[in-house]
Amino acid sequence: MKKYKIASILMFIHGAFMEVGGCLCLIPIFIIGSDKFDINRYISFIVPYFKNNMKLMLVMGAIYGVVRIIGAVGLWKNRMWGLVLSVINCVITMALMMFMLPAGIMDGIFATTALILILIQYFGNKKIIE
């Protein structure tokens, strides 16, 4: 159970601070006006579509963060739905992290570490062929 707790802490940190926290930090910039503050100078993505649609990225990041936090809480409380939601979050993050470079590197570190811990805890010492 300890690995589930560590994985849920990693997912909570990832969702609360990186995703939701990052989105909340960008809200004043969009209120002031992105024409007065060039956000693309500080935040860049490898895919030009993401760079050109930062407001949509803000909404998407907030949704990902909230869902990641919900999965982390479910995993912390030892709920099967939390386990499944957390695995889905981690796998999707692993698939999308290459498109979100350079921020995707940190996403990948958090998501892959949490996924490995979850899988080790779930499967334990079971062998492929008994």
Side-chain angles (χ1 to χ4, degrees):
M1 287 302 180
K2 187 174 183 180
K3 290 178 181 66
Y4 285 150
K5 300 292 184 191
I6 295 169
S8 73
I9 290 169
L10 285 174
M11 290 187 60
F12 188 85
I13 290 169
H14 187 186
F17 295 112
M18 283 188 63
E19 303 286 353
V20 175
C23 293
L24 293 176
C25 290
L26 293 177
I27 290 174
I29 294 169
F30 290 121
I31 291 173
I32 293 170
S34 56
D35 56 331
K36 296 177 182 133
F37 187 82
D38 185 18
I39 188 134
N40 287 324
R41 193 170 74 194
Y42 302 102
I43 299 172
S44 65
F45 295 108
I46 196 168
V47 180
Y49 177 79
F50 295 154
K51 288 175 74 171
N52 298 334
N53 294 288
M54 285 304 289
K55 291 182 181 178
L56 295 175
M57 291 293 294
L58 176 73
V59 173
M60 185 203 68
I63 292 169
Y64 267 93
V66 168
V67 172
R68 192 176 309 277
I69 291 168
I70 292 169
V73 169
L75 189 60
W76 181 267
K77 292 184 173 190
N78 297 321
R79 302 293 189 262
M80 188 56 82
W81 62 264
L83 176 85
V84 174
L85 184 58
S86 297
V87 169
I88 290 169
N89 270 324
C90 291
V91 170
I92 289 173
T93 300
M94 287 174 57
L96 293 178
M97 70 183 186
M98 69 178 76
F99 300 110
M100 307 297 248
L101 291 173
I105 295 169
M106 201 59 165
D107 286 337
I109 290 170
F110 276 111
T112 54
T113 304
L115 182 61
I116 289 167
L117 288 170
I118 291 168
L119 294 176
I120 289 171
Q121 181 67 43
Y122 187 81
F123 290 106
N125 291 328
K126 293 179 188 171
K127 296 188 186 234
I128 296 172
I129 299 175
E130 298 280 330

